[in-house]
Amino acid sequence: MPFKIILGKESFNSKAAAIRRCQEILNAAGGDEIVGDDALVVAAVLAMRRDKIAEIGDRTIKRFLRQKHAFPTRCFYAELGDGTLVDFSFMKAIKAYPGVAAPRVPAAAGA
């Protein structure tokens, strides 16, 4: 049965297409901060990660970043209002789709 993956204002007809879009955002030039429609996509990916939403709890997301992880790869991060960085994998989120949805994502400033 076909399905669509909706991330922010964008929709994708396959997991591969959603993964490609996340890779584009992760590897984009222009600094670490993710803004605009890209931030909406990243927020939607985070919403699919119930474990990360539980880790964030009631804290507020200040912004989304792309930075190097402890491994030699880049990763998405949510910077919280208290300065904590929470890393999350878009691959884990998209590979688990459908059937993953979080009740809410704390709003990011500027997103």
Side-chain angles (χ1 to χ4, degrees):
M1 174 194 223
F3 60 87
K4 284 194 176 210
I5 299 174
I6 299 172
L7 301 175
K9 296 179 181 178
E10 302 177 37
S11 65
F12 305 91
N13 291 323
S14 69
K15 290 181 182 184
I19 288 169
R20 279 192 303 274
R21 179 66 176 112
C22 289
Q23 288 170 330
E24 288 172 6
I25 295 169
L26 192 61
N27 295 312
D32 291 342
E33 187 169 2
I34 302 167
V35 297
D37 288 344
D38 289 351
L40 295 176
V41 170
V42 174
V45 169
L46 176 59
M48 296 165 68
R49 294 291 310 273
R50 291 181 180 167
D51 58 330
K52 296 298 180 173
I53 294 300
E55 183 179 338
I56 292 168
D58 291 340
R59 296 178 290 176
T60 302
I61 296 173
K62 181 178 175 183
R63 62 186 177 156
F64 292 104
L65 304 167
R66 58 185 147 243
Q67 294 181 344
K68 263 200 170 177
H69 194 269
F71 305 105
T73 59
R74 290 173 62 82
C75 182
F76 289 132
Y77 287 86
E79 181 181 0
L80 306 183
D82 63 6
T84 303
L85 293 177
V86 177
D87 66 319
F88 57 100
S89 167
F90 69 87
M91 291 294 279
K92 285 183 182 178
I94 293 171
K95 285 184 177 184
Y97 191 88
V100 291
R104 66 170 189 85
V105 175

